Amino acid sequence: MSVDTSALAPTISSAGKERPAIVKPRRSIGSILGQVIHWIVLVFFAALFLYPFAWLLAASFKPRGQVFDNLLIPKTFQPENFVQVWNELPLLAWVGNSILIAVLAAGFVTVSSSLVAWGFAYFRFPGRGILFGLVLATMMLPGAVTLVPQYLIWNNIGLVGTNIPLWGMNLFGSAFYIFLQRQFFLGLPREIFEAARVDGVSYWGMFWRMAFPLSIPSFIIVFLFEFQASWNNLQAALIYLNAGSAEGYTVPLGIASAMTKYSPTNGGHGDYQYVMVAALLVTLPMLILFAFGQRYFIEGWRPRVARAERASRVASAAGGSHWERFQRDPPACVPSAAHSAGMNSLHFRECSSTPCRGGVSEVRSPCGMVPTSGSRSECSMARTPRARSSERTFR
Amino acid sequence: MANTMTVETTAGTRVFKTSKYNRREALAGYLFISPWIVGFLIFTLGAMIYSLVISFTYYQLATNTARPAGLANYEALFDDPKVMMSLGNTLFYAVLAVPLEIIFALFLAMLLNNVRRGAGVFRTLYYLPKMTPAVATASVFFLLLNGNQGAINKGLAAIGIQGPQWLLDPNWVKPSIVLMTLWGVSGTMVIFLAALKTVPRDLYEVAQIDGAGPVRRFFSITLPMISGAMFFNVIVLTIAALQTFDQAYLLFYRDTGTGAPDASLFYAIYLFQQAFRQFNFGFAAAMAWLLFLIIMIISLVQVKLGNRFVYYESER
């Protein structure tokens, strides 16, 4: 009898809590040992993932002869490497080119994709389903198929050798981002737009004064992802810029050329410490970007008070009595998204989801997206039985 | 029966349609999506048709003329041993890389999912490689994988294993690239992690009360519940593996002065060489269509298999 209660009691007591832990009820020596091993494995892999960074950083400070000694703290510090690389390679030009291209590419794709996404999300027109199906289909199209003809198109216009082909196509939106943004727009309550319509707001005004300011977090996501993709893009730079002068290179192309320049097979001395300096330089902006936008890269994004405030500011700017309800109760629960998970096009679902903090009754959210771990409490759409039952799956 | 219904009411539906769509609203909708339509017509549909046309010609870049070639480019695909070799290399790489990536990513995700404190810190650390540009990854691994002095072989030597000549031995070229890919597997891991978080905890509790061990719980609960994410990851990783370019190019083909081992000739590399080094655009276009066909077939097979195994909660 007593054995029974001791086994059952913790389970029962934890059943009412939101996240009942499995291990907790029986905290034996075995489970503590398990936790310790768990942590050791975690730390081991963290070290494995971080080692190349540490190696890179250390090697960039070493003299040539010590690069391969694999010490993480250089025996001889040689910061002159940085000066040397700065003098030998047109780094400033490369970074300038890369930043220009990345900003243009990310900026254009953010604006164009959201315009298109808004068109698909709000308006009803003949052929909408088929056209959106086409958008999704282009996501599956391997890039290799259009590589050659796209080059020939740019060549016929006479723009090969300029950096326009590296961002020009972003003026027309990109399937993945259109999908992502549309999912976001569908999460905004349609009634507020209908109401604005009654108040005489134009279609453009609805996009520019309402949908756009409400969606800034999702714009940030799209911008960051495209910035990263553009910054890392080697193949396009190889195709469109390789024939030109070294000053016109982007950072990845420049580093690739530096790798060749310093390699012994090409008459270099094997000055790999210089290559490491350059590699450090191409990585650092991404790490800084990650430091600031980490939440957007991994977690998607979480509901914030600022967003609710912004929503009410927009509402009051647009004016009109129909806004008052929305103004009083801004939807604090917003869909979350993550870059990689957003590519969930294959089994994406939509659901009219949970009632959220603030009382707006129906907020439609993309459930195929990664739920934000931070927003678990407010927006655990995947776990709410109601949301689950009304889920639709389409392929 | 459904057909006759629609035929009979053709006139009726037309009337219904005009009332269903507000004309101004439809026009505005088309205007909003017009950037995508233009881009699609030029850079996707137009490009694909252009590519198909070129694949039946000998295209001369200098004169911008295309001499008809009939099926010659497609016949050449099968005559050129390098096409089949690169295809073999690429398929071999995909078969090696995709399962390893899936297993490793899932392992890491479960590791992170089960930790209660500090999960955020570890997730951040694990994600860092994903932020590293391919050039930086390749240049570091180029040195780490050095057969004589590289850190990886020195580490292996420390535990008594004689490491291979990673980048020189044809048998170890593809495992080297797999190693680099595995280092940056965190993008896949994040998707698995998100899927794991949606698995209801009570399922595990019930299973545990019923006496299911950890292995049984993994195969009977975890795997079915995350099969959607699994399916997605397999498809995306397969398509990416079949188009592998950056790492192989940076390690072996960046420097045209040195000979690269045949084992490193990936399909995308050979396509790139044919198009932008030899300027055989017709041949390259034919190569691209063959790749397209192969990717489509593999994806279709995966979707068919996926439909059998993937568990969608809503369908129950």
Coordinates of all heavy atoms in Angstrom, one line a residue, chain B residues 11-38:
Chain B
A11 N -23.8 28.8 -67.8 CA -24.2 30.2 -67.9 C -24.4 30.7 -66.4 O -24.1 31.8 -66.1 CB -25.5 30.3 -68.7
G12 N -25.0 29.8 -65.6 CA -25.2 30.2 -64.2 C -24.0 30.6 -63.5 O -23.9 31.6 -62.8
T13 N -22.9 29.7 -63.7 CA -21.7 30.0 -62.9 C -21.1 31.3 -63.3 O -20.5 32.0 -62.5 CB -20.7 28.9 -63.1 OG1 -20.7 28.4 -64.4 CG2 -20.9 27.8 -62.1
R14 N -21.2 31.6 -64.6 CA -20.6 32.9 -65.1 C -21.2 34.1 -64.3 O -20.5 34.9 -63.8 CB -20.8 33.1 -66.6 CG -20.1 34.2 -67.1 CD -20.0 34.2 -68.6 NE -19.3 33.1 -69.1 CZ -19.5 32.6 -70.4 NH1 -20.3 33.1 -71.2 NH2 -18.7 31.6 -70.8
V15 N -22.6 34.0 -64.2 CA -23.2 35.1 -63.4 C -22.7 35.1 -62.0 O -22.4 36.1 -61.4 CB -24.8 34.9 -63.5 CG1 -25.5 35.9 -62.6 CG2 -25.3 35.0 -64.9
F16 N -22.7 33.9 -61.5 CA -22.3 33.7 -60.1 C -20.8 34.3 -59.9 O -20.6 35.0 -58.9 CB -22.3 32.3 -59.7 CG -21.8 32.0 -58.3 CD1 -22.4 32.5 -57.2 CD2 -20.7 31.2 -58.1 CE1 -22.0 32.3 -55.9 CE2 -20.2 30.9 -56.8 CZ -20.9 31.5 -55.7
K17 N -20.0 34.0 -60.9 CA -18.6 34.4 -60.8 C -18.4 36.0 -60.7 O -17.7 36.5 -59.9 CB -17.7 33.9 -61.9 CG -16.9 32.7 -61.5 CD -16.0 32.2 -62.6 CE -15.4 30.9 -62.2 NZ -14.8 30.2 -63.3
T18 N -19.2 36.6 -61.5 CA -19.0 38.1 -61.5 C -19.4 38.7 -60.2 O -18.9 39.7 -59.8 CB -19.8 38.8 -62.7 OG1 -21.0 38.1 -62.8 CG2 -19.0 38.7 -64.0
S19 N -20.4 38.0 -59.6 CA -20.8 38.6 -58.3 C -19.9 38.1 -57.2 O -19.8 38.8 -56.2 CB -22.3 38.1 -58.0 OG -22.3 36.7 -57.9
K20 N -19.2 37.0 -57.4 CA -18.3 36.5 -56.4 C -17.1 37.3 -56.2 O -16.6 37.6 -55.1 CB -17.9 35.0 -56.7 CG -17.1 34.3 -55.6 CD -16.8 32.9 -56.0 CE -15.8 32.3 -55.1 NZ -15.2 31.0 -55.7
Y21 N -16.5 37.8 -57.3 CA -15.3 38.6 -57.3 C -15.7 40.0 -57.5 O -16.3 40.4 -58.5 CB -14.3 38.1 -58.4 CG -13.8 36.7 -58.2 CD1 -14.2 35.7 -59.0 CD2 -12.9 36.4 -57.2 CE1 -13.8 34.4 -58.8 CE2 -12.5 35.2 -57.0 CZ -12.9 34.1 -57.8 OH -12.5 32.9 -57.6
N22 N -15.3 40.8 -56.6 CA -15.4 42.3 -56.7 C -14.3 42.7 -57.7 O -13.1 42.4 -57.6 CB -15.1 42.9 -55.4 CG -15.1 44.4 -55.4 OD1 -14.8 45.0 -56.5 ND2 -15.5 45.1 -54.3
R23 N -14.7 43.4 -58.8 CA -13.8 43.7 -59.9 C -12.6 44.6 -59.4 O -11.5 44.3 -59.8 CB -14.6 44.4 -61.0 CG -13.8 44.5 -62.3 CD -14.6 45.1 -63.3 NE -14.8 44.1 -64.4 CZ -15.3 44.5 -65.6 NH1 -15.7 45.7 -65.8 NH2 -15.5 43.6 -66.6
R24 N -13.0 45.6 -58.7 CA -11.9 46.5 -58.2 C -10.9 45.7 -57.3 O -9.7 45.9 -57.4 CB -12.5 47.6 -57.4 CG -12.8 48.8 -58.2 CD -13.4 49.9 -57.3 NE -12.5 50.3 -56.3 CZ -11.6 51.2 -56.4 NH1 -11.4 51.9 -57.5 NH2 -10.8 51.5 -55.3
E25 N -11.5 44.9 -56.5 CA -10.6 44.1 -55.5 C -9.7 43.1 -56.3 O -8.5 43.0 -56.0 CB -11.5 43.3 -54.6 CG -10.7 42.6 -53.5 CD -11.6 41.7 -52.6 OE1 -12.7 42.1 -52.3 OE2 -11.1 40.6 -52.2
A26 N -10.3 42.5 -57.3 CA -9.5 41.5 -58.1 C -8.4 42.3 -58.8 O -7.2 41.8 -58.9 CB -10.4 40.8 -59.1
L27 N -8.7 43.4 -59.4 CA -7.7 44.2 -60.1 C -6.6 44.6 -59.2 O -5.4 44.4 -59.5 CB -8.4 45.4 -60.7 CG -7.5 46.2 -61.6 CD1 -7.2 45.4 -62.9 CD2 -8.1 47.6 -62.0
A28 N -6.9 45.0 -58.0 CA -5.9 45.4 -57.0 C -5.1 44.2 -56.6 O -3.8 44.3 -56.5 CB -6.6 46.0 -55.7
G29 N -5.7 43.1 -56.5 CA -5.0 41.8 -56.2 C -3.9 41.5 -57.2 O -2.8 41.3 -56.9
Y30 N -4.4 41.6 -58.5 CA -3.4 41.3 -59.6 C -2.3 42.3 -59.6 O -1.1 42.0 -59.8 CB -4.1 41.4 -60.9 CG -5.0 40.2 -61.2 CD1 -6.4 40.3 -61.6 CD2 -4.5 38.9 -61.1 CE1 -7.2 39.3 -61.8 CE2 -5.3 37.8 -61.3 CZ -6.7 38.0 -61.7 OH -7.5 36.9 -61.9
L31 N -2.6 43.6 -59.3 CA -1.5 44.6 -59.2 C -0.5 44.3 -58.1 O 0.7 44.4 -58.3 CB -2.2 46.0 -58.9 CG -2.6 46.8 -60.2 CD1 -3.2 48.1 -59.8 CD2 -1.4 47.0 -61.1
F32 N -1.0 43.8 -57.0 CA -0.1 43.5 -55.9 C 0.8 42.3 -56.2 O 2.0 42.3 -55.8 CB -0.9 43.2 -54.6 CG -1.1 44.5 -53.7 CD1 -2.4 45.1 -53.7 CD2 -0.1 45.0 -53.0 CE1 -2.6 46.2 -53.0 CE2 -0.3 46.2 -52.2 CZ -1.6 46.8 -52.2
I33 N 0.2 41.3 -56.9 CA 1.1 40.2 -57.2 C 1.8 40.3 -58.5 O 2.6 39.4 -58.9 CB 0.3 38.8 -57.2 CG1 -0.7 38.8 -58.3 CG2 -0.4 38.6 -55.9 CD1 -1.2 37.4 -58.6
S34 N 1.6 41.5 -59.2 CA 2.3 41.6 -60.5 C 3.8 41.5 -60.5 O 4.4 40.9 -61.4 CB 1.8 42.9 -61.2 OG 2.2 44.0 -60.4
P35 N 4.5 42.0 -59.5 CA 6.0 41.8 -59.5 C 6.3 40.3 -59.6 O 7.2 39.9 -60.4 CB 6.4 42.3 -58.1 CG 5.4 43.2 -57.7 CD 4.1 42.7 -58.3
W36 N 5.6 39.5 -58.9 CA 5.9 38.1 -58.9 C 5.6 37.5 -60.3 O 6.4 36.7 -60.9 CB 5.2 37.3 -57.9 CG 5.5 35.8 -58.0 CD1 6.6 35.1 -57.6 CD2 4.7 34.8 -58.6 NE1 6.5 33.8 -57.9 CE2 5.3 33.6 -58.6 CE3 3.4 34.9 -59.3 CZ2 4.8 32.4 -59.1 CZ3 2.9 33.7 -59.8 CH2 3.6 32.5 -59.7
I37 N 4.5 37.9 -60.9 CA 4.1 37.4 -62.2 C 5.1 37.7 -63.2 O 5.6 36.9 -64.0 CB 2.7 37.9 -62.6 CG1 1.6 37.3 -61.7 CG2 2.4 37.6 -64.0 CD1 0.2 37.7 -62.0
V38 N 5.6 39.0 -63.2 CA 6.6 39.4 -64.2 C 7.9 38.6 -64.0 O 8.5 38.0 -64.9 CB 7.0 40.9 -64.0 CG1 8.2 41.3 -64.8 CG2 5.8 41.7 -64.4

